[in-house]
Amino acid sequence: MEFNYIIFLVCVALAGFLIFKEFKRSDKSRLIWRWIASVLMVAFFALLIIPINYSVKKQEAAGVLNLLTEGVALDTITSIRDTKYDLDSTLFAIRKNQKINHIADLAYYLKEHINVKKINIYGYGLSANELKILKDKEVSFHPANLPSGIISASWRNKLKATENFKVQGVYHNAGKETVKLKLYGMGASLDSVNIKPNAEFNFSLANTPKQIGKAVFTLIALQGNDTLSVEPVPFEVKGKQAINVLILASFPDFEYKFLKKWLYENQYAVALRSQISKNKYSTDFLNMKAVNVNQLNQALLKNMDLVVIDEDELAAIPTTDRSSIYNAVDNGMGLIVRVTNPKPQANVQNFNQYEVLSAIEKPLSLRSSDQLKFSDLSFKQTLFLKSGVNNQPLITDETGKIVVDSRLSGMGKVLTSTFSSTYQWQLAGKQSDYSNFWSLLFAKSLRKRIENQSFALVPQFPSVDEKTKLMLSLADDKIPAISIDSIKISPRQNMEVPSEWDGFYWPKNFGWQRLSINQKAENIYFYKKTDWKNAKNFIKLANTRDFVVNQSSQITIDDRIEYLAEETVSKWWFFMGFLLTISFLWYEQRFLANK
């Protein structure tokens, strides 16, 4: 109001000055008209700055709230005749023209306005936490179009060393040009895929990280020379756990030679026993102290995490040694059996191998069950495994024939492989494929370590200044000590499952932060509000749709209420008046005044 008074006083002074100037002119013709034009010109100028409001009677449905969220189209806003509200400050740019009211806190607003029974939501919708507030209301949803970009993505936050890192998701390309989606990290492009126009594409980008510890890759969407989005992909690579591997070879072939070298270079503890003649063996110990491997007893095998053996050696060892191996597997040890014969050995179980002879020479193309593709080899694979009810295929060729499978045995796993020439990748200079193959076999066969505590964060992309829920699963029901960056979190116990707890946190900074649970440190990542915007909006879209479908409240509102609303006189009228009066004063002085 003080500003309006200042404008009023300035304009009164200006009008007085113009009247005085006109009075002092020697030409007194049309003096009254000049005074009127001067006063009106100043008045119109003042009204261009000071808004003029008036009250008008309006009607709208009683107990209905029209709520605009991000993504609502401008023509949709214009079509809504009743009072409109928003929760998002990003709509502020259009609020002035469209007369959109802002609600700072939806829960507080609904408690103050208990007459609101029905809510019309426009745009991408609300988050899961916001939808909980509306459980007693009837909600009608008018969704926006599907956002263009990455609408969903997932990856493992923690990896073991040498494990393959994979980012999978869906990209919605609503444009008319091809989009290139690229996984970028460590200063280089690691993997990429092209997405056709007007299509939804299920993408999968992969790489084997070379570093240990925390890292943030980026997922970049490019359209020609334009960068459409840059999304952070944080993860952590844990150091390799100490793994003891026992290799039992019927003879020292190339496969064992290259495997021994790879295990040594990757810091595995290896004991290798190779038969050189009947009951005579040569032994090698790498990254571990020498032990007695001539007798495969319980004392030896309980210290081993994994045994790699070929079918001939499995058939040749004494029955007691073979029983010891299978007992150790039942207790959690992993076993990888290399099958090289088309017919089963008499002393061992049938691994359901079969031979396919072909006169056609074509490259061998292998793919894992989780869609990890290996480089082709100029190798003719003739030995395969039959599928079984208790067996899970792990690696197949391009026609779907099984090369490696897995089956449970007690607490452990038995893997069978008919691919006996993985060293061909090493000879071809494709070390990453060799590493991926054996890393996959080891990961699938090793016993799983049982964690005494685990946690998860909700939502999927916890962001700055947004409510984040921390969910814990512990080994006991004792109250856990939880903190994030030295800020203590008060846990809440699940009454039905006492070992489960949760707590809430509002992050203030983005990036890596330290989570401490009972003095055990974990690394967690918080995103900027602008990160993964399309994916967040897609989640809101899905959550709001599900909420509306599953709502039980159905309210019919026919009553309309009458209320007084303030309208503002358009400034175009004052601008036109100002233009006419100033034009008259200019024309009168330029052409009509007596010279």
Side-chain angles (χ1 to χ4, degrees):
M1 290 300 293
E2 290 182 2
F3 176 74
N4 292 346
Y5 287 135
I6 293 171
I7 295 298
F8 176 76
L9 293 174
V10 169
C11 289
V12 168
L14 178 60
F17 174 75
L18 292 176
I19 290 171
F20 175 75
K21 289 291 288 182
E22 293 294 342
F23 181 77
K24 293 292 289 182
R25 274 177 58 183
S26 57
D27 182 11
K28 301 299 182 182
S29 58
R30 296 171 296 280
L31 178 61
I32 300 299
W33 290 107
R34 296 202 304 267
W35 282 350
I36 293 172
S38 298
V39 171
L40 287 176
M41 180 191 72
V42 174
F44 286 138
F45 176 75
L47 293 174
L48 284 172
I49 302 173
I50 302 172
I52 301 298
N53 298 325
Y54 64 97
S55 296
V56 63
K57 286 185 178 181
K58 286 191 172 182
Q59 284 188 344
E60 66 176 30
V64 177
L65 175 66
N66 295 301
L67 195 58
L68 307 181
T69 63
E70 187 176 358
V72 62
L74 186 59
D75 56 349
T76 302
I77 298 173
T78 308
S79 66
I80 303 171
R81 299 302 179 189
D82 295 335
T83 308
K84 300 175 280 287
Y85 297 85
D86 72 48
L87 302 173
D88 198 333
S89 60
T90 59
L91 297 173
F92 181 79
I94 61 172
R95 187 184 302 132
K96 191 173 182 181
N97 294 330
Q98 297 295 330
K99 300 180 181 62
I100 302 170
N101 302 301
H102 182 63
I103 297 176
D105 188 293
L106 183 59
Y108 183 78
Y109 179 87
L110 292 176
K111 284 183 179 179
E112 273 199 329
H113 299 78
I114 58 174
N115 62 315
V116 174
K117 302 298 182 184
K118 181 176 180 180
I119 299 175
N120 297 318
I121 301 176
Y122 300 84
Y124 292 132
L126 303 176
S127 66
N129 289 330
E130 291 169 327
L131 289 169
K132 289 179 182 177
I133 303 168
L134 311 182
K135 61 182 179 180
D136 297 327
K137 312 293 182 184
E138 182 188 353
V139 178
S140 177
F141 186 38
H142 307 270
N145 293 329
L146 198 66
S148 182
I150 304 170
I151 57 176
S152 70
S154 62
W155 61 90
R156 288 175 58 193
N157 294 321
K158 295 184 187 297
L159 300 174
K160 296 176 183 177
T162 72
E163 273 191 307
N164 201 45
F165 177 64
K166 185 178 295 184
V167 183
Q168 296 177 308
V170 179
Y171 192 99
H172 175 230
N173 184 7
K176 297 181 180 179
E177 296 182 29
T178 299
V179 171
K180 184 175 185 179
L181 192 61
K182 182 166 64 173
L183 181 64
Y184 188 87
M186 299 300 170
S189 178
L190 307 174
D191 199 1
S192 63
V193 67
N194 290 325
I195 299 158
K196 295 179 180 179
N198 299 311
E200 280 187 35
F201 183 79
N202 296 322
F203 65 86
S204 179
L205 302 175
N207 179 258
T208 303
K210 300 294 188 280
Q211 84 287 345
I212 300 294
K214 297 177 293 184
V216 181
F217 287 177
T218 50
L219 208 54
I220 305 174
L222 301 169
Q223 192 174 68
N225 296 324
D226 297 330
T227 302
L228 301 181
S229 63
V230 179
E231 308 294 2
V233 183
F235 65 97
E236 185 178 8
V237 180
K238 294 288 189 180
K240 191 184 286 95
Q241 66 186 54
I243 296 174
N244 296 326
V245 180
L246 174 62
I247 299 177
L248 303 173
S250 59
F251 63 95
D253 64 357
F254 280 112
E255 186 73 347
Y256 287 126
K257 178 182 177 181
F258 280 92
L259 179 59
K260 179 179 74 171
K261 181 175 181 291
W262 180 79
L263 290 170
Y264 174 73
E265 291 174 347
N266 285 276
Q267 303 300 310
Y268 288 92
V270 182
L272 188 148
R273 190 187 81 176
S274 180
Q275 187 173 187
I276 52 178
S277 64
K278 189 173 182 180
N279 297 326
K280 289 187 178 181
Y281 305 96
S282 66
T283 56
D284 285 310
F285 300 97
L286 308 174
N287 300 323
M288 69 179 297
K289 293 180 180 179
V291 294
N292 182 11
V293 293
N294 290 326
Q295 188 175 5
L296 305 179
N297 52 32
Q298 184 179 358
L300 170 67
L301 296 176
K302 74 176 182 180
N303 295 320
M304 295 296 168
D305 298 294
L306 177 66
V307 170
V308 180
I309 189 171
D310 56 78
E311 188 184 19
D312 291 337
E313 181 66 9
L314 188 62
I317 61 176
T319 304
T320 54
D321 289 0
R322 195 160 48 247
S323 297
S324 296
I325 290 176
Y326 282 120
N327 287 335
V329 172
D330 291 340
N331 289 322
M333 187 186 74
L335 176 63
I336 298 177
V337 181
R338 293 178 54 218
V339 176
T340 56
N341 302 307
K343 293 183 178 181
Q345 297 287 336
N347 295 338
V348 296
Q349 70 176 78
N350 186 353
F351 292 104
N352 294 321
Q353 66 264 43
Y354 68 97
E355 191 174 22
V356 177
L357 299 177
S358 175
I360 302 174
E361 291 286 345
K362 61 178 181 178
L364 176 64
S365 180
L366 299 179
R367 185 184 296 273
S368 69
S369 57
D370 56 0
Q371 302 306 309
L372 176 62
K373 194 176 185 308
F374 300 92
S375 299
D376 293 351
L377 287 174
S378 299
F379 178 79
K380 192 174 181 181
Q381 177 73 16
T382 59
L383 198 59
F384 300 97
L385 299 168
K386 295 178 182 178
S387 60
V389 177
N390 299 320
N391 291 29
Q392 178 188 11
L394 292 183
I395 298 177
T396 60
D397 71 355
E398 59 183 359
T399 63
K401 297 187 187 71
I402 302 171
V403 176
V404 181
D405 69 6
S406 168
R407 67 175 177 85
L408 292 174
S409 179
M411 296 175 62
K413 286 184 180 180
V414 178
L415 269 65
T416 309
S417 172
T418 61
F419 186 33
S420 59
S421 299
T422 60
Y423 67 88
Q424 298 273 359
W425 277 313
Q426 292 273 34
L427 295 177
K430 299 172 180 177
Q431 284 81 6
S432 62
D433 292 284
Y434 184 88
S435 179
N436 289 340
F437 181 89
W438 283 105
S439 295
L440 175 66
L441 264 60
F442 280 24
K444 296 295 185 181
S445 58
L446 288 170
R447 74 184 78 189
K448 302 297 180 184
R449 296 185 182 272
I450 301 174
E451 298 286 345
N452 58 3
Q453 63 183 37
S454 61
F455 73 94
L457 294 176
V458 177
Q460 181 185 1
F461 304 104
S463 303
V464 173
D465 294 330
E466 293 181 358
K467 186 178 181 180
T468 300
K469 184 179 181 180
L470 172 67
M471 298 188 296
L472 300 178
S473 180
L474 306 178
D476 52 45
D477 57 358
K478 293 180 181 178
I479 300 175
I482 311 168
S483 66
I484 298 178
D485 273 3
S486 301
I487 299 175
K488 291 184 178 180
I489 307 298
S490 299
R492 181 180 62 174
Q493 190 176 31
N494 186 329
M495 293 295 99
E496 295 181 355
V497 186
S499 62
E500 292 186 357
W501 302 76
D502 64 19
F504 300 94
Y505 180 70
W506 283 260
K508 294 299 178 186
N509 301 304
F510 70 90
W512 289 104
Q513 294 189 30
R514 204 75 168 169
L515 167 65
S516 175
I517 306 173
N518 292 332
Q519 298 185 341
K520 181 181 178 181
E522 300 280 358
N523 293 308
I524 56 177
Y525 190 91
F526 292 110
Y527 299 86
K528 298 177 185 177
K529 276 193 172 182
T530 53
D531 292 337
W532 296 101
K533 203 71 175 173
N534 292 322
K536 292 176 184 176
N537 288 332
F538 181 74
I539 292 170
K540 287 181 181 179
L541 207 60
N543 287 343
T544 309
R545 277 193 177 123
D546 291 343
F547 180 86
V548 171
V549 169
N550 297 322
Q551 69 179 340
S552 57
S553 175
Q554 294 292 331
I555 303 169
T556 303
I557 299 176
D558 295 323
D559 295 338
R560 298 186 69 83
I561 59 172
E562 205 173 69
Y563 66 99
L564 289 176
E566 267 198 352
E567 298 283 351
T568 302
V569 178
S570 174
K571 294 186 183 296
W572 282 105
W573 296 108
F574 306 129
F575 177 73
M576 293 299 296
F578 176 79
L579 198 61
L580 288 172
T581 52
I582 199 171
S583 298
F584 168 76
L585 291 172
W586 173 83
Y587 182 79
E588 190 277 336
Q589 189 175 15
R590 181 73 176 81
F591 297 103
L592 302 179
N594 295 324
K595 306 295 182 184

